[in-house]
Amino acid sequence: MASVTTAYTFMHCVLFLLLTVRFSSCFMNWGDGYRRKVSLELNPGLGPSLTPPPGVGLVHARAEGVNDTLHYLFCSQGAPALLLVHTNSSSSTLEVDWRAFLARNTSGSLRVEPQNSILYSNAVVFTRLWEYDDVNDTADPSKVPPSSFLAPYELQTFTWADLNATLDPVSHTALLCGGDGGDSFSNGSLCLKFSAFEAAGREQGWPSLLHNANSSQISVRLDGVKPRSNGSRFSLELQSVGGAYPMSRVDVLRSIDDEYTPSIFKVSQWVSSPPNSSSSGLGYAQWKPVAYRKAKPVFEDATPCHHSLPDPLARLPPSGLVLAFYTEGSHSPTTGLNISFSITGDPYYNTTNYLSWTVLVGLGSAPMDSFSTLVLTIMAVGLGSPLLIILLGGVWVCVRGKATPTPAAYEPIN
């Protein structure tokens, strides 16, 4: 009887722990059920009388909510850029004056109407790719002598492939690949893959960033580019242009869970927030501080990356999209930073001739990974096992005490 009672108690405790873990996992990891209706279009409103220059394209992803809309604009005119515009109307539209837009000299040639419905806007521009000869293996551009830096690749001068060939309206993605036409890019390319999302989730491949319905993603890939030195390392320059509140600081957050990005316990967020505020409630660019040296990486192919502090800049970046939407001056503050790849002792770029890095761009607070099912299970077992042992021990003592006959107070004398 005691063994049956103990077995039932044990089964009930285990079942309770498993249900607790399952419920907590669902609540913590998949609680964002908000969805948007996303549509993708290339060169919206462009008539047959105009033909963009080769490699110039404008992708418009419209993410409609219940009473608001997110407009993502991904453009290859000049330096490639991603512009996010949030409106408080579910019927806001994009208007492009194509003649002025292609001329790249008219602010206001690209608008979101009605303009008084715009709540927030921000653009992330990929301006330069820096290459340096890391002769001392420091993997730190700030410690490299100026003579070790090679001429930067100005992305505004790149020739880009036709976006029409890579646009996928079903998966809401577009792939932009190009090069500078020189010897280094004769058999290689720099590619940027844009993705828009309808709901919360994550992509399968590392770094598997968690996204939601208020976010988009850019994956950067340097593939097959011929390095100009035996010890080449790279750094990517980004610039951000905002409305009232530009992305002005980078927060580094820590975690104890690396299930989706092995060995990486940090996340970096370049955030837009009001002055003297610790919140990140307006907009962000988020990334894991890791890059990969192979297209299908294993653990050994991961390499850390680092960011510089954001610096204010005096001029708008050389992007046709930014110049068409924003006005030069104090109303369009600009900041910039560099993302450098690798650490001391890591292989140089020429070992694989491949490098990939991913950034999430979105509205509001960035989605954050909570404890995964695996970690919750470990915590439940670690905390629940002692309690279970105490509980089972108490039950065993009680049952054992009842089963043992109580001796009489006096023993008869024979």
Side-chain angles (χ1 to χ4, degrees):
M1 180 66 182
S3 61
V4 173
T5 304
T6 303
Y8 273 118
T9 304
F10 178 78
M11 290 174 62
H12 288 158
C13 291
V14 171
L15 181 60
F16 173 76
L17 288 174
L18 291 176
L19 289 175
T20 301
V21 169
R22 178 62 177 171
F23 174 78
S24 301
S25 174
C26 292
F27 178 76
M28 296 176 71
N29 287 333
W30 293 279
D32 186 358
Y34 185 70
R35 300 186 65 89
R36 290 182 179 274
K37 181 181 178 181
V38 177
S39 59
L40 209 64
E41 185 180 7
L42 179 63
N43 298 333
L46 179 65
S49 60
L50 285 178
T51 302
V56 172
L58 173 65
V59 175
H60 176 216
R62 189 176 188 276
E64 182 181 333
V66 177
N67 53 14
D68 70 335
T69 304
L70 295 177
H71 297 270
Y72 299 107
L73 298 163
F74 181 53
C75 184
S76 58
Q77 180 171 241
L82 174 61
L83 170 65
L84 166 61
V85 182
H86 179 221
T87 72
N88 61 8
S89 169
S90 58
S91 58
S92 58
T93 59
L94 176 68
E95 303 291 339
V96 183
D97 181 344
W98 276 99
R99 291 190 182 276
F101 178 75
L102 294 176
R104 296 181 58 178
N105 59 4
T106 305
S107 175
S109 58
L110 183 146
R111 305 180 309 278
V112 172
E113 298 287 356
Q115 294 193 46
N116 60 8
S117 69
I118 297 176
L119 300 175
Y120 171 80
S121 69
N122 209 313
V124 176
V125 187
F126 300 82
T127 49
R128 289 187 183 93
L129 181 67
W130 295 92
E131 182 180 359
Y132 61 96
D133 186 6
D134 192 15
V135 292
N136 296 321
D137 193 19
T138 63
D140 185 351
S142 65
K143 297 179 181 179
V144 174
S147 59
S148 294
F149 277 88
L150 306 172
Y153 293 108
E154 301 284 349
L155 302 191
Q156 62 174 312
T157 64
F158 270 34
T159 300
W160 302 101
D162 187 6
L163 275 168
N164 190 52
T166 62
L167 191 75
D168 188 344
V170 176
S171 62
H172 312 131
T173 61
L175 180 64
L176 180 67
C177 293
D180 71 342
D183 180 60
S184 293
F185 283 86
S186 58
N187 294 310
S189 62
L190 173 68
C191 295
L192 295 90
K193 181 183 178 182
F194 164 75
S195 303
F197 305 110
E198 293 183 335
R202 66 174 78 246
E203 293 192 343
Q204 295 297 320
W206 292 346
S208 301
L209 294 177
L210 178 65
H211 59 253
N212 59 24
N214 291 332
S215 59
S216 62
Q217 182 175 282
I218 296 286
S219 297
V220 183
R221 184 178 76 221
L222 193 64
D223 187 6
V225 175
K226 182 180 178 181
R228 291 175 286 177
S229 73
N230 292 328
S232 283
R233 298 195 192 276
F234 288 92
S235 179
L236 183 64
E237 180 183 288
L238 306 179
Q239 295 186 22
S240 170
V241 183
Y245 306 113
M247 295 196 298
S248 56
R249 75 171 194 270
V250 177
D251 298 332
V252 178
L253 308 178
R254 299 178 182 272
S255 171
I256 65 170
D257 188 359
D258 71 336
E259 179 181 359
Y260 298 105
T261 312
S263 78
I264 304 300
F265 298 92
K266 297 179 182 179
V267 62
S268 301
Q269 297 180 169
W270 191 10
V271 297
S272 168
S273 62
N276 304 319
S277 172
S278 60
S279 65
S280 55
L282 295 178
Y284 62 87
Q286 181 198 68
W287 64 89
K288 292 286 186 74
V290 62
Y292 296 99
R293 292 190 295 267
K294 289 184 180 179
K296 295 182 179 179
V298 294
F299 178 78
E300 293 77 12
D301 298 322
T303 183
C305 61
H306 307 275
H307 65 270
S308 64
L309 294 177
D311 284 329
L313 302 173
R315 297 187 60 83
L316 292 176
S319 160
L321 176 61
V322 169
L323 296 174
F325 186 79
Y326 288 104
T327 303
E328 193 87 53
S330 59
H331 296 294
S332 304
T334 303
T335 57
L337 56 74
N338 291 318
I339 305 292
S340 56
F341 307 101
S342 298
I343 57 174
T344 299
D346 267 5
Y348 294 110
Y349 174 79
N350 61 8
T351 57
T352 60
N353 284 356
Y354 185 92
L355 196 64
S356 68
W357 175 76
T358 303
V359 59
L360 202 70
V361 178
L363 176 74
S365 299
M368 293 299 299
D369 279 316
S370 57
F371 292 127
S372 67
T373 303
L374 176 63
V375 172
L376 287 172
T377 302
I378 294 172
M379 292 173 63
V381 172
L383 296 175
S385 295
L387 296 176
L388 186 60
I389 292 172
I390 294 173
L391 177 62
L392 293 177
V395 171
W396 184 85
V397 170
C398 292
V399 173
R400 181 70 175 173
K402 290 182 178 181
T404 304
T406 303
Y410 296 96
E411 294 290 337
I413 299 175
N414 195 359

Short mmCIF file of all heavy atoms in Angstrom, two decimals, residues 41-44 46 51-60 73-82 96 98 101-102 110 158-167 174-176 319-321:
data_model
loop_
_atom_site.label_atom_id
_atom_site.label_comp_id
_atom_site.label_asym_id
_atom_site.label_seq_id
_atom_site.Cartn_x
_atom_site.Cartn_y
_atom_site.Cartn_z
N GLU A 41 5.53 45.17 -52.81
CA GLU A 41 5.40 45.73 -54.16
C GLU A 41 6.73 46.36 -54.57
O GLU A 41 7.42 46.97 -53.75
CB GLU A 41 4.29 46.78 -54.18
CG GLU A 41 3.98 47.36 -55.55
CD GLU A 41 2.88 48.41 -55.50
OE1 GLU A 41 2.46 48.78 -54.38
OE2 GLU A 41 2.43 48.86 -56.57
N LEU A 42 7.09 46.21 -55.85
CA LEU A 42 8.31 46.81 -56.38
C LEU A 42 7.97 48.03 -57.22
O LEU A 42 7.08 47.98 -58.07
CB LEU A 42 9.08 45.79 -57.23
CG LEU A 42 10.38 46.26 -57.87
CD1 LEU A 42 11.41 46.64 -56.81
CD2 LEU A 42 10.95 45.20 -58.81
N ASN A 43 8.67 49.13 -56.97
CA ASN A 43 8.50 50.39 -57.69
C ASN A 43 7.03 50.81 -57.78
O ASN A 43 6.45 50.94 -58.88
CB ASN A 43 9.08 50.27 -59.11
CG ASN A 43 10.58 50.00 -59.10
OD1 ASN A 43 11.28 50.37 -58.16
ND2 ASN A 43 11.07 49.35 -60.13
N PRO A 44 6.38 51.04 -56.65
CA PRO A 44 4.94 51.39 -56.65
C PRO A 44 4.67 52.70 -57.38
O PRO A 44 5.36 53.70 -57.16
CB PRO A 44 4.60 51.51 -55.16
CG PRO A 44 5.91 51.78 -54.49
CD PRO A 44 6.94 51.05 -55.27
N LEU A 46 5.14 53.45 -60.51
CA LEU A 46 6.02 53.78 -61.63
C LEU A 46 5.31 53.49 -62.95
O LEU A 46 4.90 52.36 -63.21
CB LEU A 46 7.32 52.97 -61.54
CG LEU A 46 8.33 53.19 -62.67
CD1 LEU A 46 8.85 54.63 -62.66
CD2 LEU A 46 9.48 52.20 -62.55
N THR A 51 11.84 54.68 -66.89
CA THR A 51 12.62 53.47 -66.63
C THR A 51 13.75 53.82 -65.67
O THR A 51 14.58 54.67 -65.98
CB THR A 51 13.22 52.89 -67.91
OG1 THR A 51 12.16 52.60 -68.83
CG2 THR A 51 14.00 51.62 -67.61
N PRO A 52 13.78 53.19 -64.48
CA PRO A 52 14.86 53.49 -63.54
C PRO A 52 16.21 53.06 -64.11
O PRO A 52 16.28 52.17 -64.96
CB PRO A 52 14.49 52.65 -62.31
CG PRO A 52 13.05 52.31 -62.47
CD PRO A 52 12.81 52.23 -63.93
N PRO A 53 17.28 53.68 -63.66
CA PRO A 53 18.62 53.23 -64.08
C PRO A 53 18.84 51.78 -63.67
O PRO A 53 18.20 51.28 -62.76
CB PRO A 53 19.56 54.18 -63.33
CG PRO A 53 18.72 55.37 -62.98
CD PRO A 53 17.34 54.85 -62.78
N PRO A 54 19.75 51.08 -64.36
CA PRO A 54 20.01 49.67 -64.01
C PRO A 54 20.40 49.54 -62.54
O PRO A 54 21.23 50.29 -62.03
CB PRO A 54 21.18 49.30 -64.92
CG PRO A 54 21.06 50.24 -66.09
CD PRO A 54 20.54 51.52 -65.52
N GLY A 55 19.79 48.58 -61.87
CA GLY A 55 20.12 48.31 -60.47
C GLY A 55 19.40 49.16 -59.47
O GLY A 55 19.57 48.97 -58.26
N VAL A 56 18.58 50.11 -59.90
CA VAL A 56 17.84 50.99 -58.98
C VAL A 56 16.43 50.44 -58.81
O VAL A 56 15.71 50.24 -59.79
CB VAL A 56 17.79 52.44 -59.48
CG1 VAL A 56 16.86 53.28 -58.61
CG2 VAL A 56 19.19 53.03 -59.48
N GLY A 57 16.05 50.19 -57.58
CA GLY A 57 14.72 49.67 -57.29
C GLY A 57 14.23 50.12 -55.93
O GLY A 57 15.03 50.42 -55.04
N LEU A 58 12.91 50.17 -55.78
CA LEU A 58 12.29 50.57 -54.52
C LEU A 58 11.26 49.50 -54.14
O LEU A 58 10.27 49.30 -54.85
CB LEU A 58 11.61 51.94 -54.67
CG LEU A 58 10.78 52.42 -53.48
CD1 LEU A 58 11.67 52.66 -52.25
CD2 LEU A 58 10.02 53.71 -53.84
N VAL A 59 11.51 48.82 -53.03
CA VAL A 59 10.58 47.81 -52.51
C VAL A 59 9.75 48.46 -51.41
O VAL A 59 10.29 49.07 -50.49
CB VAL A 59 11.34 46.59 -51.96
CG1 VAL A 59 10.36 45.60 -51.32
CG2 VAL A 59 12.13 45.91 -53.06
N HIS A 60 8.43 48.30 -51.53
CA HIS A 60 7.51 48.83 -50.51
C HIS A 60 6.78 47.66 -49.87
O HIS A 60 6.03 46.94 -50.53
CB HIS A 60 6.51 49.80 -51.15
CG HIS A 60 5.47 50.30 -50.17
ND1 HIS A 60 4.16 50.53 -50.54
CD2 HIS A 60 5.55 50.61 -48.85
CE1 HIS A 60 3.49 50.97 -49.49
NE2 HIS A 60 4.31 51.02 -48.45
N LEU A 73 10.39 50.65 -46.56
CA LEU A 73 10.88 51.00 -47.89
C LEU A 73 12.35 50.60 -47.98
O LEU A 73 13.19 51.11 -47.23
CB LEU A 73 10.71 52.49 -48.15
CG LEU A 73 9.25 52.96 -48.12
CD1 LEU A 73 9.17 54.46 -47.98
CD2 LEU A 73 8.53 52.49 -49.36
N PHE A 74 12.65 49.68 -48.89
CA PHE A 74 14.00 49.17 -49.08
C PHE A 74 14.45 49.59 -50.47
O PHE A 74 13.82 49.21 -51.47
CB PHE A 74 13.98 47.65 -48.94
CG PHE A 74 15.32 46.98 -49.10
CD1 PHE A 74 16.41 47.38 -48.35
CD2 PHE A 74 15.48 45.93 -50.00
CE1 PHE A 74 17.64 46.75 -48.49
CE2 PHE A 74 16.69 45.30 -50.15
CZ PHE A 74 17.78 45.71 -49.39
N CYS A 75 15.53 50.37 -50.54
CA CYS A 75 15.88 51.02 -51.80
C CYS A 75 17.36 50.87 -52.11
O CYS A 75 18.21 50.93 -51.21
CB CYS A 75 15.51 52.50 -51.73
SG CYS A 75 15.78 53.41 -53.26
N SER A 76 17.67 50.71 -53.41
CA SER A 76 19.05 50.55 -53.87
C SER A 76 19.54 51.75 -54.66
O SER A 76 20.51 51.64 -55.41
CB SER A 76 19.16 49.28 -54.73
OG SER A 76 18.27 49.34 -55.84
N GLN A 77 18.89 52.90 -54.53
CA GLN A 77 19.37 54.11 -55.20
C GLN A 77 20.35 54.81 -54.27
O GLN A 77 19.99 55.30 -53.22
CB GLN A 77 18.22 55.04 -55.54
CG GLN A 77 18.71 56.32 -56.25
CD GLN A 77 17.56 57.16 -56.79
OE1 GLN A 77 17.46 57.39 -57.97
NE2 GLN A 77 16.68 57.61 -55.91
N GLY A 78 21.63 54.86 -54.69
CA GLY A 78 22.68 55.34 -53.80
C GLY A 78 23.03 54.25 -52.81
O GLY A 78 22.97 53.05 -53.11
N ALA A 79 23.40 54.64 -51.61
CA ALA A 79 23.68 53.65 -50.58
C ALA A 79 22.39 52.93 -50.21
O ALA A 79 21.36 53.57 -50.00
CB ALA A 79 24.29 54.33 -49.36
N PRO A 80 22.39 51.60 -50.14
CA PRO A 80 21.16 50.88 -49.82
C PRO A 80 20.63 51.26 -48.44
O PRO A 80 21.42 51.43 -47.49
CB PRO A 80 21.57 49.40 -49.89
CG PRO A 80 23.05 49.41 -49.77
CD PRO A 80 23.53 50.69 -50.34
N ALA A 81 19.31 51.39 -48.33
CA ALA A 81 18.71 51.89 -47.10
C ALA A 81 17.39 51.20 -46.85
O ALA A 81 16.69 50.76 -47.78
CB ALA A 81 18.52 53.40 -47.18
N LEU A 82 17.03 51.14 -45.57
CA LEU A 82 15.73 50.65 -45.13
C LEU A 82 15.07 51.76 -44.32
O LEU A 82 15.60 52.19 -43.30
CB LEU A 82 15.87 49.38 -44.29
CG LEU A 82 14.59 48.85 -43.65
CD1 LEU A 82 13.56 48.48 -44.70
CD2 LEU A 82 14.88 47.67 -42.73
N VAL A 96 4.95 58.55 -54.65
CA VAL A 96 6.29 58.79 -55.19
C VAL A 96 6.20 59.62 -56.45
O VAL A 96 5.50 59.25 -57.41
CB VAL A 96 7.01 57.45 -55.50
CG1 VAL A 96 8.44 57.73 -56.00
CG2 VAL A 96 7.02 56.54 -54.28
N TRP A 98 8.12 60.08 -59.30
CA TRP A 98 9.23 59.29 -59.82
C TRP A 98 10.26 60.13 -60.56
O TRP A 98 11.47 59.86 -60.48
CB TRP A 98 8.71 58.17 -60.70
CG TRP A 98 8.31 56.97 -59.88
CD1 TRP A 98 7.06 56.62 -59.49
CD2 TRP A 98 9.20 56.01 -59.30
NE1 TRP A 98 7.10 55.48 -58.71
CE2 TRP A 98 8.41 55.08 -58.58
CE3 TRP A 98 10.58 55.82 -59.33
CZ2 TRP A 98 8.95 54.00 -57.89
CZ3 TRP A 98 11.13 54.74 -58.65
CH2 TRP A 98 10.32 53.86 -57.94
N PHE A 101 12.18 61.78 -57.87
CA PHE A 101 12.85 60.77 -57.05
C PHE A 101 14.10 60.24 -57.76
O PHE A 101 15.17 60.11 -57.13
CB PHE A 101 11.89 59.62 -56.75
CG PHE A 101 12.49 58.50 -55.95
CD1 PHE A 101 12.72 58.64 -54.60
CD2 PHE A 101 12.81 57.29 -56.56
CE1 PHE A 101 13.27 57.60 -53.86
CE2 PHE A 101 13.36 56.25 -55.83
CZ PHE A 101 13.58 56.40 -54.47
N LEU A 102 13.99 59.95 -59.03
CA LEU A 102 15.13 59.42 -59.77
C LEU A 102 16.20 60.48 -60.01
O LEU A 102 17.37 60.15 -60.20
CB LEU A 102 14.67 58.84 -61.10
CG LEU A 102 13.78 57.59 -61.01
CD1 LEU A 102 13.30 57.16 -62.38
CD2 LEU A 102 14.51 56.45 -60.31
N LEU A 110 9.24 61.61 -52.14
CA LEU A 110 8.65 60.39 -51.63
C LEU A 110 7.95 60.73 -50.32
O LEU A 110 8.57 61.26 -49.39
CB LEU A 110 9.72 59.32 -51.42
CG LEU A 110 9.25 57.94 -50.96
CD1 LEU A 110 10.12 56.84 -51.56
CD2 LEU A 110 9.27 57.81 -49.45
N PHE A 158 28.05 51.21 -55.83
CA PHE A 158 27.94 49.82 -56.26
C PHE A 158 26.91 49.68 -57.39
O PHE A 158 25.96 50.46 -57.50
CB PHE A 158 27.51 48.94 -55.09
CG PHE A 158 28.66 48.39 -54.29
CD1 PHE A 158 29.82 49.12 -54.12
CD2 PHE A 158 28.59 47.14 -53.69
CE1 PHE A 158 30.90 48.64 -53.39
CE2 PHE A 158 29.65 46.64 -52.95
CZ PHE A 158 30.80 47.39 -52.80
N THR A 159 27.13 48.68 -58.21
CA THR A 159 26.16 48.29 -59.22
C THR A 159 25.37 47.12 -58.66
O THR A 159 25.94 46.06 -58.34
CB THR A 159 26.86 47.89 -60.52
OG1 THR A 159 27.63 49.00 -61.02
CG2 THR A 159 25.84 47.46 -61.57
N TRP A 160 24.06 47.30 -58.57
CA TRP A 160 23.20 46.29 -57.95
C TRP A 160 22.41 45.52 -59.00
O TRP A 160 22.05 46.07 -60.05
CB TRP A 160 22.25 46.95 -56.96
CG TRP A 160 22.94 47.73 -55.89
CD1 TRP A 160 23.10 49.09 -55.84
CD2 TRP A 160 23.60 47.22 -54.73
NE1 TRP A 160 23.80 49.46 -54.73
CE2 TRP A 160 24.12 48.32 -54.01
CE3 TRP A 160 23.78 45.93 -54.21
CZ2 TRP A 160 24.82 48.18 -52.82
CZ3 TRP A 160 24.49 45.78 -53.02
CH2 TRP A 160 24.99 46.89 -52.34
N ALA A 161 22.14 44.26 -58.69
CA ALA A 161 21.34 43.43 -59.58
C ALA A 161 19.87 43.85 -59.52
O ALA A 161 19.44 44.58 -58.61
CB ALA A 161 21.50 41.96 -59.22
N ASP A 162 19.10 43.39 -60.49
CA ASP A 162 17.68 43.74 -60.60
C ASP A 162 16.89 43.11 -59.45
O ASP A 162 16.88 41.88 -59.28
CB ASP A 162 17.14 43.26 -61.95
CG ASP A 162 15.71 43.74 -62.19
OD1 ASP A 162 15.19 44.53 -61.37
OD2 ASP A 162 15.12 43.31 -63.21
N LEU A 163 16.23 43.95 -58.67
CA LEU A 163 15.42 43.45 -57.56
C LEU A 163 14.21 42.65 -58.03
O LEU A 163 13.69 41.81 -57.29
CB LEU A 163 14.94 44.62 -56.68
CG LEU A 163 15.91 45.10 -55.60
CD1 LEU A 163 15.45 46.43 -55.03
CD2 LEU A 163 16.02 44.06 -54.49
N ASN A 164 13.76 42.91 -59.24
CA ASN A 164 12.58 42.21 -59.74
C ASN A 164 12.81 40.70 -59.82
O ASN A 164 11.87 39.91 -59.70
CB ASN A 164 12.21 42.76 -61.13
CG ASN A 164 10.87 42.25 -61.62
OD1 ASN A 164 9.87 42.35 -60.92
ND2 ASN A 164 10.85 41.69 -62.82
N ALA A 165 14.07 40.30 -59.98
CA ALA A 165 14.38 38.87 -60.11
C ALA A 165 14.40 38.16 -58.76
O ALA A 165 14.32 36.92 -58.71
CB ALA A 165 15.73 38.69 -60.80
N THR A 166 14.50 38.90 -57.67
CA THR A 166 14.64 38.28 -56.35
C THR A 166 13.47 38.60 -55.42
O THR A 166 13.44 38.11 -54.29
CB THR A 166 15.93 38.73 -55.68
OG1 THR A 166 15.90 40.16 -55.47
CG2 THR A 166 17.14 38.39 -56.53
N LEU A 167 12.52 39.41 -55.89
CA LEU A 167 11.38 39.78 -55.05
C LEU A 167 10.46 38.58 -54.87
O LEU A 167 10.08 37.93 -55.83
CB LEU A 167 10.62 40.94 -55.70
CG LEU A 167 9.56 41.62 -54.83
CD1 LEU A 167 10.21 42.51 -53.79
CD2 LEU A 167 8.61 42.45 -55.70
N ALA A 174 13.14 40.24 -50.27
CA ALA A 174 13.81 40.73 -51.47
C ALA A 174 15.30 40.66 -51.24
O ALA A 174 15.79 40.99 -50.15
CB ALA A 174 13.38 42.17 -51.78
N LEU A 175 16.05 40.21 -52.24
CA LEU A 175 17.50 40.05 -52.13
C LEU A 175 18.19 41.02 -53.07
O LEU A 175 17.92 41.02 -54.27
CB LEU A 175 17.90 38.61 -52.46
CG LEU A 175 19.39 38.29 -52.38
CD1 LEU A 175 19.89 38.44 -50.95
CD2 LEU A 175 19.65 36.87 -52.90
N LEU A 176 19.09 41.82 -52.49
CA LEU A 176 19.84 42.82 -53.26
C LEU A 176 21.32 42.44 -53.23
O LEU A 176 21.92 42.37 -52.16
CB LEU A 176 19.63 44.21 -52.66
CG LEU A 176 20.35 45.38 -53.34
CD1 LEU A 176 19.78 45.61 -54.73
CD2 LEU A 176 20.23 46.64 -52.49
N SER A 319 21.98 58.42 -49.68
CA SER A 319 20.93 57.49 -50.08
C SER A 319 19.83 58.25 -50.79
O SER A 319 19.31 59.25 -50.25
CB SER A 319 20.37 56.77 -48.84
OG SER A 319 19.09 56.23 -49.09
N GLY A 320 19.44 57.79 -51.98
CA GLY A 320 18.36 58.45 -52.69
C GLY A 320 17.05 58.39 -51.93
O GLY A 320 16.25 59.32 -51.97
N LEU A 321 16.82 57.31 -51.21
CA LEU A 321 15.60 57.17 -50.41
C LEU A 321 15.57 58.19 -49.28
O LEU A 321 14.55 58.86 -49.06
CB LEU A 321 15.54 55.75 -49.85
CG LEU A 321 14.38 55.42 -48.90
CD1 LEU A 321 13.04 55.60 -49.60
CD2 LEU A 321 14.53 54.00 -48.36
#
